[in-house]
Amino acid sequence: MDTHLHHSHIESHLKSSDALRDIVIGMSDGLTVPFALAAGLSGAVSSSTIIVIAGIAEICAGSIAMGLGGYLAGKTEQDHYQSEIKREYLEVETERHREIEETKEFFSNIGLSPALQEQATAEIAQDKHRWVNFMMKYELGLEEPDPKRATKSALNIGLSYIAGGIIPLSPYFFISDSSEALKISVVATLICLFVFGYFKSKITGVNPIWGAVKVTLIGALAASAAFGVAKLFEGH
């Protein structure tokens, strides 16, 4: 197999996996939080206008907060990698004997004979950069993160949150009575939660039907709790 094509395939797979994880995080909260907010407000006010204004404000705040969280997580990952690679370079230079023993130990663990352990270690230790990258990957289990990962993560999560949040809020744009809008919002959002949960579970290897039911129940419980609390306070 062509090494370049194999490397490109791995990189593409990793990037798409990261993007998919971001979309799942953003969409999951985007569907649930504004849905619960709209349901809660519907239990307290009859005007859809108030719910639309509050919902848009929440979606803006939520998408920024979630996006910022994704950005900070990406930056932390990059900072951690840079910190570890500096330490690994220092150890290769100042504790060469110990690093050689750790490299031999890795080759021993994958079943190489003592002679091949010596040969492989000697080969890889000739190039300091290659040796450090090898130790980063196989000793520490760290892959070099995409330098644009933090920004991409922020955008993916933020936009997914907005896309998810618009769904439960959309009926309130067209129906002035919040109680009537809530009925459509509940049906539309629960269907979307079920479909989202199904595909999310299918991708992650969980039973799709059970995963879909679980995601739908969480959204329904959050909205029911918010609606119930609003009605409780309205009664007082």
Side-chain angles (χ1 to χ4, degrees):
M1 181 185 290
D2 188 295
T3 306
H4 175 70
L5 287 175
H6 181 63
H7 180 72
S8 298
H9 173 72
I10 292 171
E11 286 297 317
S12 173
H13 176 73
L14 288 173
K15 286 175 184 175
S16 63
S17 174
D18 286 340
L20 194 61
R21 183 180 63 188
D22 292 340
I23 291 167
V24 165
I25 291 168
M27 186 73 76
S28 180
D29 279 14
L31 279 167
T32 307
V33 179
F35 179 40
L37 174 70
L41 289 174
S42 297
V45 297
S46 59
S47 172
S48 288
T49 305
I50 295 171
I51 296 170
V52 167
I53 294 168
I56 290 173
E58 196 289 322
I59 290 171
C60 289
S63 62
I64 291 168
M66 292 287 290
L68 184 58
Y71 180 82
L72 292 174
K75 287 297 288 181
T76 301
E77 185 183 358
Q78 288 174 22
D79 292 343
H80 175 62
Y81 184 86
Q82 292 304 319
S83 171
E84 289 297 328
I85 201 167
K86 282 179 185 175
R87 181 158 53 186
E88 200 63 42
Y89 269 112
L90 183 64
E91 288 178 357
V92 162
E93 290 172 1
T94 60
E95 301 178 48
R96 184 179 175 86
H97 178 72
R98 189 166 71 98
E99 291 297 300
I100 283 174
E101 289 305 315
E102 287 177 356
T103 307
K104 283 182 187 175
E105 186 180 348
F106 168 79
F107 288 126
S108 172
N109 290 337
I110 62 171
L112 295 188
S113 67
L116 281 176
Q117 291 169 35
E118 292 282 351
Q119 186 181 346
T121 301
E123 283 285 336
I124 206 161
Q126 287 178 5
D127 186 325
K128 184 168 68 175
H129 303 298
R130 184 176 60 184
W131 192 13
V132 167
N133 288 334
F134 175 86
M135 296 301 281
M136 289 291 289
K137 184 173 182 179
Y138 295 107
E139 182 193 11
L140 302 177
L142 296 175
E143 296 275 0
E144 184 174 6
D146 179 356
K148 296 179 182 176
R149 169 75 185 134
T151 305
K152 288 177 182 176
S153 182
L155 287 172
N156 289 338
I157 293 175
L159 292 175
S160 299
Y161 189 95
I162 292 169
I166 289 296
I167 292 167
L169 200 62
S170 56
Y172 296 91
F173 285 98
F174 308 105
I175 302 170
S176 58
D177 185 338
S178 65
S179 298
E180 291 301 312
L182 177 62
K183 293 174 186 176
I184 299 172
S185 177
V186 167
V187 173
T189 307
L190 291 182
I191 289 171
C192 288
L193 280 167
F194 187 89
V195 172
F196 170 74
Y198 181 88
F199 284 106
K200 174 189 169 185
S201 302
K202 204 170 178 66
I203 290 164
T204 53
V206 180
N207 182 289
I209 300 298
W210 168 238
V213 169
K214 189 163 64 173
V215 169
T216 307
L217 282 175
I218 291 169
L221 284 171
S224 300
F227 184 83
V229 168
K231 280 293 185 186
L232 183 68
F233 278 96
E234 185 189 29
H236 288 76

